[in-house]
Amino acid sequence: MAVTSISPLVLSGAYEPSVASLFRALSAGCNAFFWEPRYRNLTAFLRAAKERGEEPLVIAGTYHATERAIRADVEAALRRLRRDALDVLLVFWVRSAARLEGEVPRVLEQLKREGLVRAVGFSTHDRALAESMLRDPYDVLMIRHSAAHPGAEESLFARAHDAGFGVLGF
């Protein structure tokens, strides 16, 4: 994946922040937004931003594990957001390596080749699993990390950096 400058803060559409507040965040330098289909205000903001000639980075995902379902999620997101590509597509809620095998890596690579997604990754709470999956075809991982859930700084962040992985903390 080509390195893109991403703001240190990614805003989520959860809890329906107002469209105006999302534009304020964009004008203050936040250029990346975490989108799910139920986020109505973020959907409206992303559409309006595009109409203004701005195209903030979009991180979206799928809970599915079959080619048909993953592709359907991507195509639905692109239609709703009126975009040609998603910047990051995550496989959500990964709890075992098996979730990232089979059809999943193959369809993710295919979506990247087709230009429908620019980077692919996964989200997990399991740091050991995240470290074990720092390999192709994945570009990004999203890991739980906070004052209440420390530990990723002990080895995961350094290993992800050395492997050329982007890291999103939640």
Side-chain angles (χ1 to χ4, degrees):
M1 167 179 126
V3 176
T4 299
S5 180
I6 185 170
S7 55
L9 177 66
V10 175
L11 290 182
S12 169
Y15 305 107
E16 295 297 338
S18 71
V19 172
S21 69
L22 294 166
F23 272 111
R24 280 194 298 278
L26 182 64
S27 68
C30 180
N31 70 344
F33 297 85
F34 183 83
W35 179 85
E36 290 191 42
R38 69 181 180 273
Y39 298 166
R40 293 182 317 272
N41 288 348
L42 183 55
T43 300
F45 158 75
L46 291 167
R47 288 177 177 178
K50 183 172 181 159
E51 289 173 9
R52 292 181 181 188
E54 300 178 273
E55 208 159 348
L57 302 174
V58 174
I59 301 162
T62 182
Y63 290 96
H64 299 298
T66 66
E67 180 173 357
R68 182 178 175 181
I70 293 169
R71 185 171 288 280
D73 282 348
V74 169
E75 291 170 354
L78 294 175
R79 275 192 312 276
R80 290 218 32 222
L81 297 174
R82 300 177 185 151
R83 294 176 65 100
D84 296 325
L86 297 173
D87 297 292
V88 178
L89 177 68
L90 299 172
V91 177
F92 288 148
W93 200 245
V94 174
R95 295 162 69 178
S96 75
R99 176 89 165 82
L100 297 173
E101 296 169 354
E103 291 181 60
V104 172
R106 186 174 59 252
V107 69
L108 295 178
E109 277 293 321
Q110 187 174 348
L111 290 166
K112 280 174 58 175
R113 278 193 308 276
E114 294 171 13
L116 298 177
V117 299
R118 294 186 177 97
V120 297
F122 59 94
S123 71
T124 186
H125 290 212
D126 186 331
R127 289 188 298 274
L129 172 65
E131 286 190 42
S132 74
M133 296 304 297
L134 295 175
R135 62 177 186 264
D136 285 340
Y138 305 104
D139 307 298
V140 177
L141 73 94
M142 188 166 81
I143 188 79
R144 180 174 68 173
H145 180 69
S146 67
H149 299 99
E153 71 282 358
E154 293 171 7
S155 69
L156 177 60
F157 290 163
R159 291 200 57 212
H161 177 269
D162 291 347
F165 258 66
V167 177
L168 299 167
F170 67 91

